[in-house]
Amino acid sequence: MTALMYGNIPVPYSAAWTAEDGFFIAPCPYANGLNALHQKSSPAQGRPTFAKPHMNRQRESLFKGLCDICACQMRNRTKVSMSEERWTDVLGVKMPLVVEPLCCRSCARIALAQCPHLQRQIKSGQIVVRQVYKYDVVCSQLTGDATMEFAGIYAPGTIGHLKMRLRKSAIRSLDWIMEEA
Ligand SMILES: [Zn+2]
């Protein structure tokens, strides 16, 4: 599979497009069949919104282990996380918690080459690059106020995005991404 393009910028599989602004609550196979916030699906319609992952495609990507750019299965590939660092504590062990799906190294290279904004965010430390060796996926729950805002229904505990706990990873440099993998 090749990435969707917007101009000359590859658009992540999980990015939401402006035509996808419609939400409802229903069971989701990627969240153990629990009630989750679903989003209308019209990829490549309107403009991509890079900072807002599409609810369903984000869960699908994490559940299946898909690359965020080319949507390939990454089981045997080098996995790259380019994300803002949030941390979680799992039984006394601190580890990064990320929402953006991982991507393969060749896709990370393409995204960086085409996106100066991403390069700046990495250079300023806002986004951290990691090679991920081991992670697990957990569900995040939305507040009633959030489901009211999106879907017009007060339903606290509804599943939102999935999150990854990076159990084993190493911080990597821009140079590392640019090396031939
Ligand atoms: Zn890829």
Side-chain angles (χ1 to χ4, degrees):
M1 239 173 126
T2 49
L4 275 173
M5 300 296 285
Y6 186 71
N8 60 356
I9 297 194
V11 180
Y13 177 67
S14 72
W17 294 71
T18 47
E20 297 183 307
D21 189 17
F23 297 87
F24 61 97
I25 295 171
C28 176
Y30 306 131
N32 304 319
L34 298 170
N35 268 344
L37 188 65
H38 288 250
Q39 186 168 356
K40 184 181 160 189
S41 177
S42 310
Q45 306 292 311
R47 281 179 294 105
T49 49
F50 292 91
K52 288 187 194 165
H54 186 278
M55 286 289 165
N56 299 69
R57 290 196 298 276
Q58 192 270 357
R59 289 195 294 265
E60 182 193 5
S61 294
L62 264 58
F63 184 88
K64 294 181 178 172
L66 306 181
C67 168
D68 199 27
I69 309 288
C70 68
C72 73
Q73 170 55 247
M74 290 203 297
R75 197 167 293 125
N76 298 316
R77 298 191 181 210
T78 301
K79 298 170 199 53
V80 181
S81 169
M82 295 190 287
S83 221
E84 287 186 33
E85 297 268 87
R86 279 148 291 194
W87 288 75
T88 187
D89 190 307
V90 183
L91 302 174
V93 181
K94 292 198 179 354
M95 57 188 81
L97 184 71
V98 300
V99 175
E100 292 79 14
L102 306 177
C103 66
C104 49
R105 195 168 165 186
S106 52
C107 281
R109 195 152 53 224
I110 293 165
L112 274 170
Q114 298 294 338
C115 190
H117 181 62
L118 182 59
Q119 285 191 32
R120 281 195 296 273
Q121 286 176 306
I122 292 170
K123 281 179 185 152
S124 74
Q126 189 188 344
I127 282 182
V128 179
V129 178
R130 287 177 181 273
Q131 180 176 3
V132 177
Y133 300 103
K134 205 173 157 195
Y135 67 93
D136 57 17
V137 175
V138 291
C139 292
S140 71
Q141 294 186 320
L142 298 169
T143 63
D145 288 343
T147 61
M148 181 61 86
E149 184 190 331
F150 284 105
I153 298 167
Y154 188 81
T158 299
I159 304 302
H161 289 122
L162 300 184
K163 293 183 178 178
M164 274 174 290
R165 301 190 294 201
L166 305 185
R167 292 187 165 270
K168 198 170 170 217
S169 65
I171 290 184
R172 297 297 188 194
S173 64
L174 277 174
D175 289 346
W176 174 82
I177 292 182
M178 291 305 172
E179 283 166 21
E180 287 303 317

